[in-house]
Amino acid sequence: MTKLLLSLHVLAAILAIGPIAVAASMFPRYARLSASGDVQEPNGRTTAFLHKICRGYTVVGIAVPVLGVATGARMGILTDAWLLTSIVLTAAAAALLLTAVLPGQARLLAQPADASGPGGTGTDVATDAIAQLRSAAARLSVTTGMFNLLWAAVVVLMIVRPGSTTGA
């Protein structure tokens, strides 16, 4: 049963967290392209699709910590420092995803990048809207990088397992 739980946990991590990490990393770039009116990203379709991927896989991603805790309980290692640290880092990554990455993506999708701002339809208004969107995309890029680094640290802890009595 332990091997089955561990296999499901690893599969869930690869199949759920991987797509979130990739789609969230790609989102800011396509948001900037959409803001500039680039032909590669017309009407923000790609950014909307990437956001949909992140939201959908977030729901599926709940299986990763659930299966991880079940595996840890089965192996009797829930009190090991490396596992507790992994749990804290996973919680931090989830909090970052739910409170910063997904809402940041939603704000960028809702933010118009054209000249239809309150100041009229002039070039200055359009330029300002594009600059604001690019700035928000850059901040989101940093936040997404932090999310991915947290998951990278969890993966390293899961492989190296410092102080583990089960061996690596």
Side-chain angles (χ1 to χ4, degrees), residues 11-32:
L11 277 171
I14 292 168
L15 297 176
I17 306 305
I20 296 170
V22 172
S25 295
M26 292 172 62
F27 184 94
R29 176 180 182 264
Y30 282 95
R32 285 189 296 272

Side-chain angles (χ1 to χ4, degrees), residues 119-134:
T121 59
T123 307
D124 290 341
V125 174
T127 304
D128 189 41
I130 291 170
Q132 288 178 1
L133 196 144
R134 285 184 175 167

Side-chain angles (χ1 to χ4, degrees), residues 8-123:
L8 291 173
H9 170 63
V10 171
L11 277 171
I14 292 168
L15 297 176
I17 306 305
I20 296 170
V22 172
S25 295
M26 292 172 62
F27 184 94
R29 176 180 182 264
Y30 282 95
R32 285 189 296 272
L33 287 174
S34 180
S36 65
D38 193 295
V39 294
Q40 294 178 353
E41 174 51 3
N43 304 322
R45 290 182 189 151
T46 305
T47 51
F49 181 65
L50 291 170
H51 179 59
K52 188 175 183 178
I53 289 171
C54 291
R55 280 191 337 233
Y57 279 94
T58 295
V59 174
V60 176
I62 293 169
V64 176
V66 169
L67 290 166
V69 169
T71 303
R74 183 86 174 153
M75 294 174 73
I77 57 171
L78 282 179
T79 58
D80 286 7
W82 64 272
L83 187 60
L84 293 173
T85 302
S86 294
I87 291 170
V88 169
L89 293 175
T90 298
L96 197 58
L97 179 66
L98 295 173
T99 63
V101 175
L102 293 175
Q105 289 177 349
R107 279 191 301 276
L108 281 171
L109 286 171
Q111 183 175 347
D114 58 13
S116 60
T121 59
T123 307

